[in-house]
Amino acid sequence: MRASRLVQLLLLLQANGGATAGELARELEVSVRTVYRDVEALSAAGVPVYSEPGRGGGVRLVDGYRTRLTGLTSDEADAVLLAGLPGAAADLGLGTVLATAQLKMLAALPPELRGRATRIAERVHIDMPGWFHRPDETPTLATIADAVWHDRRLTITYRRGDVAVERTVDPLGLVMKAGTWYLVARVRSDIRSYRASRIATADLTGELFTRPTDFDLAAHWQAAAVAFGRSMLKVDARCRIATEHLGLLRLMNDPAAVHAALASLGPTGPDGWADITIPSESYEVLAHALLPLADHVEVLGPPEFRARLRAITEAMAARYRTARA
């Protein structure tokens, strides 16, 4: 924890030319006393840092000092942001660049911090895809990423089932969701998302585009994900559920469905059960989502869905009544 804070303190001083101990304490979320201890640690490590007392004073680096961290190229600096996701960096064509950037950073760190950074890499690994998820084949991703970095217009061929459509798009960003890459792009005045593995071809048009100044990729994705989740909830069932087993709803239901269901939850009765309305994209999906709850849930309606659950459970019971050797 302290090692990473020392690096952050050094970069703050270098970026701002200096700051008061109070300002640094607020930025680092520590006490002023801790800031002064960290300044002493940097000084002991050979960093030319000093404190100026009085009005207008503060903590400063000797004029002209620059840590070797600034030896990173722009591509290397971009790659450092993906340092915890080497697979993602490789997908985007930044694997070699990331390795070079990490070597530069390690070389620039004092021994204490260098050893800590190495220990972290040896002990922590982030594996983004879910279990049993086979990564998508994304042969066009490197071209798409290059277009995203440099605001270059693309012509893509996108597969929709057995149909291929061609679009000219302004690539605004890339999102990795549960190990799957998506391109967020502007098509005329609309902003749409494309699963990268379904982009069969991606060709640069030779044109540049102007990126909208008010576009926030993270905010757009969050809003689009919520809207998509809600749009998929086309049916619902009135149920009774044992409230101590509400957590089981998360086993097989989409997060948007769980959120909507919990919002509908009625008061718990003396028997520990409550009324709830559970939405889903279809009754077939909902049936399989409710089966893991076993006897902790009862479907009240609609009648045809209750009958469907009854038929499924009766067929299961009949199958298990027959003894097998």
Side-chain angles (χ1 to χ4, degrees), residues 7-24:
V7 174
Q8 189 177 0
L9 172 60
L10 176 57
L11 294 178
L12 282 171
L13 293 174
Q14 183 169 305
N16 300 323
T20 68
E23 291 170 341
L24 292 170

Side-chain angles (χ1 to χ4, degrees), residues 25-40:
R26 286 191 295 273
E27 185 70 26
L28 298 171
E29 299 182 347
V30 296
S31 68
V32 170
R33 186 175 179 180
T34 297
V35 168
Y36 282 124
R37 284 202 300 264
D38 287 351
V39 169
E40 291 176 2

Side-chain angles (χ1 to χ4, degrees), residues 5-301:
R5 191 176 68 242
L6 291 175
V7 174
Q8 189 177 0
L9 172 60
L10 176 57
L11 294 178
L12 282 171
L13 293 174
Q14 183 169 305
N16 300 323
T20 68
E23 291 170 341
L24 292 170
R26 286 191 295 273
E27 185 70 26
L28 298 171
E29 299 182 347
V30 296
S31 68
V32 170
R33 186 175 179 180
T34 297
V35 168
Y36 282 124
R37 284 202 300 264
D38 287 351
V39 169
E40 291 176 2
L42 285 176
S43 180
V47 176
V49 59
Y50 64 98
S51 300
E52 285 184 335
R55 189 181 184 87
V59 181
R60 304 186 186 283
L61 292 170
V62 170
D63 288 344
Y65 175 79
R66 289 292 182 270
T67 172
R68 282 176 291 170
L69 287 172
T70 53
L72 296 177
T73 68
S74 59
D75 284 345
E76 289 166 354
D78 290 340
V80 167
L81 297 177
L82 295 167
L85 301 171
D91 287 346
L92 300 178
L94 293 172
T96 302
V97 175
L98 174 60
T100 302
Q102 289 173 330
L103 286 173
K104 285 187 177 182
M105 290 187 71
L106 287 174
L109 294 174
E112 175 198 354
L113 305 188
R114 190 181 310 139
R116 184 174 179 85
T118 303
R119 286 195 299 274
I120 290 173
E122 290 172 345
R123 289 163 172 78
V124 179
H125 173 69
I126 300 174
D127 186 6
M128 289 294 292
W131 289 106
F132 314 114
H133 175 83
R134 182 178 179 179
D136 288 342
E137 296 292 331
T138 53
T140 61
L141 188 58
T143 299
I144 295 169
D146 181 69
V148 170
W149 302 140
H150 301 102
D151 297 336
R152 295 174 176 171
R153 188 160 287 150
L154 279 174
T155 297
I156 63 172
T157 304
Y158 188 72
R159 295 191 300 269
R160 289 181 177 170
D162 296 330
V163 179
V165 296
E166 186 175 287
R167 294 283 186 270
T168 298
V169 304
D170 296 339
L172 300 177
L174 285 162
V175 175
M176 177 182 274
K177 171 71 171 177
T180 299
W181 284 105
Y182 294 87
L183 167 66
V184 178
R186 181 175 59 188
V187 184
R188 295 182 290 277
S189 60
D190 295 332
I191 297 180
R192 303 177 184 176
S193 299
Y194 301 90
R195 186 164 176 157
S197 62
R198 295 178 184 168
I199 299 177
T201 64
D203 299 301
L204 299 171
T205 66
E207 301 174 273
L208 298 177
F209 68 90
T210 302
R211 185 181 181 84
T213 56
D214 60 347
F215 178 71
D216 183 322
L217 178 62
H220 167 80
W221 182 261
Q222 179 65 24
V226 170
F228 176 76
R230 289 174 178 168
S231 71
M232 294 297 291
L233 304 179
K234 299 174 181 177
V235 302
D236 56 55
R238 292 178 293 105
C239 304
R240 294 178 69 248
I241 190 168
T243 53
E244 66 176 321
H245 296 289
L246 280 171
L248 295 175
L249 285 174
R250 294 183 172 86
L251 286 177
M252 297 292 289
N253 286 281
D254 181 85
V258 174
H259 180 79
L262 294 178
S264 75
L265 186 67
T268 302
D271 59 355
W273 287 61
D275 290 343
I276 191 170
T277 299
I278 304 176
S280 184
E281 59 187 272
S282 71
Y283 284 123
E284 187 68 22
V285 171
L286 185 54
H288 291 286
L290 293 182
L291 286 173
L293 277 78
D295 60 344
H296 303 308
V297 67
E298 177 188 0
V299 172
L300 302 177

